[in-house]
Amino acid sequence: NGPLESSMKMLCRDLDLQDRVTFLGARSDVAEILAQSQIFVLCTHWEGLPRSIIEAMRAGLPVIATAVAGIPELVDEGNSGLMCRPRDVEDVTNQLRALIDSPTRRVEMGRQARQRYLDHFQFDRMFARTLQTYDAVVAYKAVRARRGTASVTVAGPSP
């Protein structure tokens, strides 16, 4: 749902796609919907660090997404998913066709997506990394306060 919902529904009618596109609205059963899926696609012009991709990887789905903002940090190109250029319908179509036409590749990418989720994006791991960053900032401020100024590098493990 959202401000473009009615225009998107009208576009589906104009393109005669209403039997192939379902507007689900806000849902509380995302995990169940993803479990019934084989590929996850997120075509967006801007997205911070989309939780929807993390949820798709948790479900073991290969991801096709536009390479914008934080998305390349989530998707391991060619392993857990495929990246496409923003606003490039042909690129998205080709990436989707590649996964539809190769069930073996689709399943392997889904397996790797699930493993990437387990290795990098489970709550406990993300919480620990965030806490590590905050601890480094607090330590930096404490050193700076004691010594006037100091140079400290804040770095954590990358995904």
Side-chain angles (χ1 to χ4, degrees):
N1 57 21
L4 299 177
E5 182 177 5
S6 61
S7 62
M8 294 297 100
K9 286 181 177 178
M10 194 177 310
L11 179 62
C12 278
R13 280 191 300 274
D14 292 347
L15 296 173
D16 197 27
L17 295 173
Q18 64 270 26
D19 62 329
R20 295 173 26 188
V21 175
T22 305
F23 291 85
L24 298 176
R27 301 296 293 239
S28 61
D29 59 343
V30 173
E32 291 83 5
I33 292 170
L34 292 174
Q36 298 171 21
S37 304
Q38 295 181 23
I39 300 170
F40 179 83
V41 180
L42 179 64
C43 297
T44 183
H45 305 300
W46 186 91
E47 195 76 38
L49 196 73
R51 187 181 341 177
S52 59
I53 288 179
I54 295 171
E55 291 173 342
M57 291 190 311
R58 179 176 48 92
L61 296 176
V63 174
I64 296 173
T66 45
V68 297
I71 292 175
E73 295 177 44
L74 298 175
V75 179
D76 183 11
E77 169 68 27
N79 294 310
S80 65
L82 301 170
M83 304 301 294
C84 53
R85 294 178 299 275
R87 304 178 196 275
D88 190 334
V89 175
E90 186 176 340
D91 193 20
V92 175
T93 302
N94 291 336
Q95 302 291 23
L96 189 53
R97 185 167 287 124
L99 289 185
I100 290 171
D101 290 345
S102 179
T104 303
R105 183 176 186 206
R106 184 174 65 239
V107 168
E108 177 56 23
M109 279 188 149
R111 187 194 64 72
Q112 289 186 48
R114 171 72 179 167
Q115 191 59 53
R116 184 161 175 77
Y117 163 78
L118 293 171
D119 292 344
H120 300 286
F121 299 108
Q122 289 188 71
F123 176 80
D124 291 343
R125 182 171 175 86
M126 292 179 78
F127 177 80
R129 286 176 49 207
T130 301
L131 186 59
Q132 180 183 21
T133 300
Y134 282 125
D135 287 345
V137 170
V138 169
Y140 168 77
K141 287 186 174 205
V143 167
R144 193 171 135 198
R146 283 195 303 269
R147 296 188 184 160
T149 60
S151 176
V152 177
T153 301
V154 178
S158 61

